[in-house]
Amino acid sequence: MPSPLREVEATCTINDGGSRPPDPPTEILQPRGFQLNVLLAAGKLTEDQMDTGSGKTLIAVLRIQAELERSTPDKLIWFLAPNVALATQQAGVIATQIPFVQTRLLLGSDNVQHWSQQWIWDGILDGIRIVISTYQILLDALIHGFVRMKRLSLMVFDEASPVVNDKVERLNDLEQNLQAISRSPKRNREEMLRYVHRPSLIKLVYAQQELGPEAAYVAHKLGKYRLSLDIEQDPYVLKMRSDPDFLNVGQLTKALLGRKTYCQEQLKMLHTRAQIIEQELGIWAVSWYINACVRKLQIRGGDDHVEFQLLDNTEITYLTQSLSIFLLDVPKQPLASLDHKFLSAKALCLIDFLIHHQAPRFSGLIFVQTRAEVAVLSELLSIHADLNGFYTISTFVGASTSAGRKGNIGELVDVRSQISTLDDLRAGRRNLVITTSALEEGIDVPACNVVVCFDNQMNLKSLIQRRGRARQSKSTFAIMFAESDDPSAMSTWEQLEKNMRKLYEDDMRQLAELEAKEAVEEGDRVFVVEKTGAKLLLADAVSHLFHFCATLPGRQFGNSVPVFTFDTEDGPGEKTVTARVTLPISVDASVREACGQSAWKTEKAAQRDAAFIAYLQLYNAGLLSDNLLPTQIYDEAIEAVKSDVGKIASVVTVRGQLNPFSEVARQWQAMGDSAHLHCFEVILCRNDESTVSMQMLLPCDLPTIPPLTLYWDSYTTFTVFIHRRSGIPFSANYTEAAKQSTTLLLSTVFRSRINTAKTDLVALFTPSAHEDPAEWATSHTGIFPGESLDKISASALSFSKLGIVRDLTRNATPCILRGFASTTDGIVVEPETLGQDDASLILQVSPFPKRTDFLHPIPLLEQNAAKETKRELLRPKDCKIDKLPIDYAYFAAALPAVLHRVGVRLVAARLCTTLFPAVVFDQLDLVVTAITASAAREPTNYQRQEYLGDSVLKFLTSLTLISEHLRWHEGILSQAKDHIVSNASLAKAALAIGLDEYMQTKAFTGSKWRPFYVSDLLDTPADKPRELSTKTLADMVEALVGAAFLHGGFNKAIAILKIVLPRVPWSEVDERNGTLLASAERASVTCPPHLTQLEKLIGYDFKRKSLPLEALTHSSYIGCNVTTSYERLEFLGDVCLDIIVSTTSFNHEPAIPTHGLHLLRTAVVNADFLAFLCLKLSTSASRTNVVTGKSVDDISLSETVVPIHIWQFLRHASPTVRKAQLECTKRYEQFKDHILELLQSGDHIPWTLLARLDAPKFYSDIIESVVGAIYIDSHGSLAACEAFLQRLGVMDYLTRLLEGGVALYHPKEELGQVADTQKVRYDVFRAEANADAESKLACKVWVGEREIVTVGDGISQIEIETRAADEALKILRKGQKARL
């Protein structure tokens, strides 16, 4: 009859006598080559025969992960263990290592034997992908048809040992039953020999001891007393006789004749165990044991002994009363070595052994036969004085129980207390475990270096498994013998010792032979790079390959070394070895693996061969430089700039600021007779009312000039409008007249600044088009005396018709006529109200403003309302009045500011036409903003656009690099991006194309303004060089990129970048998106079933299923269905997130200042915040549980909802990653409610609480890699990425921050502001801790020379410094309030 296993898709058996514990160790675990070989072979019906300690549970986890990738959701993976303890432990391992699917542990204590209906099994397995149980549970389910073999896609048999009755000839039967082939590790044998250690075997011989009368008294009295008890008083017999319904004659007879009742059996069992303990450990031990059992009964029924809750009260009372007379006096003080009469020789021998093996980092197991011995020996070793408290002891016994079974009064070990035993041993909190055979299999303790068999009654299987517990180098495996033991048994163990020693010596000899072969087996293969002469030698290939892997990203938890696997072939002569090397998953799949070209005698030589080929592949793929080193992005010129920057405090010498009127002067010089003058109407409006209009004549066109606001005083503003009008044919006569009118205009206000010998002004001004400029100038030239004003003329004149009044009493100080007054009463009256009889006419004037900077409002502190409204009286005879009306004086005073703004626009226009002719800017305002530094004090400056441009530049650079170099890993991509966008690189680019002269840094004041003359501009060289910081130059580039993006999107920004950074292969965004999309479509992967749940969680349906798999693949992952790890997608997603947040913040109305934009971006895209959202994002799945009623047959099902978080889908093969996840989840549960409260309604960002999460970087990486995957799959849709961020909560929180009311500063930044000029110092140190606790970080905060606060209990430097800064701020603020 064929085996039912023929129906199962795959079977993987593991035989090692030990499996991984539930929680991972602290070190990073990486599969070795021999483990990978077994994993690759574990596809169809294989049995892996490997030594204890070689990591087979890790292989099983990887194999299960691979099966989950390819099997359908209706299939089950069933993991089988030989006992409950191992099944429980392995369930913990699998559930923690594979958290993204539901697992189910089935034990006899779950009343599985009563699940007799198919609906129960259907419900309990609904949604379950992995089941862990003992063999019998699955067998029963298969036999009764509750589970069909065809539903199983993979079965993993743990501890499928071929050893039966100390013989191994049953191996063929095992292979036939499993339909499998047994594979012992022929591959990677050398590696296994180096990493798997055999312990040394020693015999502990003790003298057989005759028990004294005291011991015999205790055991004998207990046995004799048990037989003397009246069976008729037994609670079971009494109930039979008193209750007719309960009476069973046959059962009663059996109880009377054979004393077969629960109470009698318990007393018999107690007597038997007491005899064993007497024999093995001595009188003290049996006395303590009996006392402990009686005390346990006296406590009966309490929470500490729930197993007694099924006992009848009469049974508990009967046993308690029967045994109370055996409460013995047990020494309560620690035993001393002199108390030999109280302990057995065997116990003393063990104590002596432990005394001599006290050593740092001790970790040991002691195997005994019974649970009673576990309890007693644990107590004995804990209190014995000679051990000096060195040993911290735990116990571990089997956990097999059955619901409905009555308690055992001889059981002293509470299985609930041993939950943390293995964790404590692994962490060093305990160093010795007393156990039964329960720990022969199912535990992996790498640090265990001593194993003691307290008894020698074990079979070969037990010996192999116990020996395997001592797996550390130079470990000890001790077996205890009595001098009187059977000599044949002794000889058996002696022969075993010889065999074990021979195995060890054979291993060492084999290693020595291999090393001798390696010493002579050298290759002469060489590769030379002709360009540089760099050489790759066969002997150096391995070290080069390790160095390359060390430069890869993702090294914190990932695999950062190459893994070699070996195949051995039996040839006609010696065996030959070939090698294959697998590089970390962050390396592109096309060059991730390499095979050696030849067969070799040793693994070391084969390893060099494979490494040589792999290194050549990396070079040909562009991942190595011509010097055969990992690719580095290096530019000598940029490095020189960086070096110079460091020497001169980030300042470089650049050209002077461009004077745009120099070019206008050259165009005046080039004017021909047929040329036309460009005419512009300049209108000056006072308080929105037109005041005066003139024509401006230039030899060139002007860009559009926006309205210009001038701040005359605190109350008065002028607005200047410039409109293009029809051109005027060039005429020498007309030009001379224009020069005359312009000179007249300027001399009104700037008489002392005009060069009277020159008239070739660069900008000419004439009256309106219908007036002749020569006649206008003639009619308005000159002055007239104040006496010529009489009452009649004064009343008829408008003030605006009169010119500047010049006060002759004060050196012709210019004044503005404000009105008239009489000398009789000093009251101001309007001119038309003056009568003939009024006194002499007096002029009321105010000084013409001395300030020349009308572009900026008068600072509040400088405003003087009294001075601005002051009126002075001036007699007509003491003044002269210009013929040119006062409005033209206003116009003339405004000209410096107007010409300055015109000049800035000309600079911006020239920049566009000379450096960026291919980039059409319709909005010159954006360019003006981009070239204006804050030092220029213009209405706008580049800072906001630089913020946006920085984000755009990084996005486009990252997109270009990742699509141009499909094989580059994230490390090279990040280095290249950082190189391109660095300040040094951008400053160099700005200098190379001449951007420096366009930067507007001079603030306009007007105080030194002089009219521009063509001859001066032609003769005067350019402005003298100035000094600018490299950051300013870089900011200008980024601001221009931001301007282009605002004007025309990404492609317009690319047009700028093609000119500024021509060495970068820029191309349009759609083209880059298409390249990435095509690359994703070429990836061949199988869509795992759980991907649908992941897409539902993300809220996006991927068309290219390789992308979400890549986004959730950690660099430690090993297995099938692999493209590459998520680092490349994270690299892209980082800039996608940045550009979305930056554009949203930038476009907010009202506009947010630059510093606020930076704070917003930091608040939203920081790793701690993203990690919190990653921990929070979850969906739910239903889970069915069995509910047992009052009777075991009363069964129903209940559904619960379990959360499934996005981080649980992370594909990894690192127990350290899972440990970090578990620890971070605990902190998240502790702080999440408070963090959420602050995020939703707090007045500050919860920086400190987020830092306390101490979330590993892979949490935020998951978010960014998913964003990158969505971007590629959606063909570059940032809207699709933003939808995911909205679902995640990023955009909602950003919206709340944009609305205001939330303090954005990080505590450390805010503390720096509060400290002002005083230096803030953080002293981080590791605080002392108790012996049982891990030391934590502490931090002292100093402000100046004052210590503000000390904070402890830190888990990372960032976290403790953030918390310390927050506490220091509270103290300083409290002090400030107290002073107020």
Side-chain angles (χ1 to χ4, degrees), residues 840-860:
S840 301
L841 183 68
I842 299 296
L843 280 66
Q844 186 182 33
V845 299
S846 63
F848 197 87
K850 293 183 179 180
R851 63 188 299 263
T852 55
D853 178 13
F854 300 114
L855 289 177
H856 305 100
I858 299 174
L860 184 62

Side-chain angles (χ1 to χ4, degrees), residues 834-895:
L834 292 174
Q836 293 292 333
D837 298 331
D838 290 334
S840 301
L841 183 68
I842 299 296
L843 280 66
Q844 186 182 33
V845 299
S846 63
F848 197 87
K850 293 183 179 180
R851 63 188 299 263
T852 55
D853 178 13
F854 300 114
L855 289 177
H856 305 100
I858 299 174
L860 184 62
L861 295 178
E862 297 179 13
Q863 293 181 7
N864 190 330
K867 184 177 180 181
E868 291 177 358
T869 57
K870 180 181 179 181
R871 299 292 184 263
E872 297 178 354
L873 300 178
L874 186 63
R875 292 180 300 180
K877 69 176 184 177
D878 293 330
C879 67
K880 292 185 178 181
I881 302 174
D882 290 354
K883 291 184 177 181
L884 186 66
I886 188 65
D887 286 344
Y888 288 102
Y890 293 148
F891 189 95
L895 279 182

Side-chain angles (χ1 to χ4, degrees), residues 223-242:
K224 186 177 180 180
Y225 176 76
R226 179 182 70 85
L227 295 175
S228 69
L229 291 173
D230 185 1
I231 189 64
E232 289 290 345
Q233 300 303 313
D234 188 284
Y236 181 78
V237 175
L238 292 174
K239 187 172 183 179
M240 280 279 192
R241 294 193 183 283
S242 62

Side-chain angles (χ1 to χ4, degrees), residues 181 233 239 446 513 667 739 823 915 948 1106 1191 1224:
I181 300 174
Q233 300 303 313
K239 187 172 183 179
E513 292 173 356
Q667 294 195 38
K739 291 177 181 179
T823 57
L915 298 187
L948 181 63
S1106 65
S1191 67
C1224 187

Side-chain angles (χ1 to χ4, degrees), residues 160-388:
S161 174
V163 179
V164 181
N165 296 327
D166 294 352
K167 298 181 180 180
V168 296
E169 64 265 16
R170 299 294 299 275
L171 178 59
N172 290 337
D173 294 341
L174 180 65
E175 291 180 332
Q176 291 177 5
N177 287 337
L178 293 178
Q179 296 288 298
I181 300 174
S182 176
R183 295 292 188 190
S184 64
K186 295 180 180 178
R187 300 178 177 182
N188 298 70
R189 186 63 184 173
E190 294 177 41
E191 188 178 21
M192 277 193 58
L193 292 175
R194 290 184 171 95
Y195 289 111
V196 180
H197 307 285
R198 301 183 188 274
S200 60
L201 174 64
I202 66 172
K203 300 186 293 294
L204 298 179
V205 181
Y206 58 93
Q208 189 64 39
Q209 180 181 7
E210 292 294 333
L211 294 176
E214 300 88 351
Y217 170 79
V218 174
H220 179 73
K221 180 179 180 181
L222 179 60
K224 186 177 180 180
Y225 176 76
R226 179 182 70 85
L227 295 175
S228 69
L229 291 173
D230 185 1
I231 189 64
E232 289 290 345
Q233 300 303 313
D234 188 284
Y236 181 78
V237 175
L238 292 174
K239 187 172 183 179
M240 280 279 192
R241 294 193 183 283
S242 62
D243 187 352
D245 296 333
F246 189 72
L247 177 63
N248 184 308
V249 176
Q251 293 291 336
L252 178 60
T253 303
K254 184 177 178 181
L256 293 174
L257 296 178
R259 306 182 75 87
K260 298 292 185 180
T261 69
Y262 169 77
C263 291
Q264 300 304 314
E265 291 291 339
Q266 288 294 302
L267 292 172
K268 180 180 179 181
M269 177 273 302
L270 186 63
H271 176 228
T272 302
R273 292 185 179 182
Q275 287 179 309
I276 295 173
I277 293 172
E278 251 179 6
Q279 182 71 29
E280 295 289 299
L281 297 171
I283 185 175
W284 178 91
V286 71
S287 300
W288 181 89
Y289 175 68
I290 293 175
N291 272 24
C293 292
V294 176
R295 298 297 183 195
K296 176 182 176 181
L297 267 175
Q298 291 176 336
I299 300 174
R300 65 185 182 275
D303 291 338
D304 290 338
H305 298 286
V306 293
E307 68 269 24
F308 285 160
Q309 292 179 0
L310 294 177
L311 267 66
D312 191 292
N313 285 334
T314 59
E315 292 175 323
I316 295 177
T317 302
Y318 177 82
L319 289 171
T320 304
Q321 293 176 350
S322 299
L323 291 174
S324 294
I325 64 172
F326 286 94
L327 286 176
L328 307 173
D329 292 331
V330 181
K332 298 182 179 179
Q333 300 299 322
L335 295 173
S337 57
L338 296 178
D339 300 326
H340 288 182
K341 65 179 181 178
F342 293 109
L343 299 178
S344 68
K346 188 174 185 180
L348 292 172
C349 179
L350 174 63
I351 291 171
D352 183 68
F353 172 82
L354 293 176
I355 290 172
H356 289 88
H357 279 76
Q358 293 182 7
R361 304 188 67 179
F362 176 93
S363 178
L365 301 174
I366 298 178
F367 286 97
V368 298
Q369 279 190 309
T370 66
R371 295 185 176 198
E373 289 175 273
V374 169
V376 177
L377 190 56
S378 171
E379 179 70 14
L380 170 61
L381 298 181
S382 297
I383 68 173
H384 199 281
D386 287 357
L387 296 178
N388 298 317

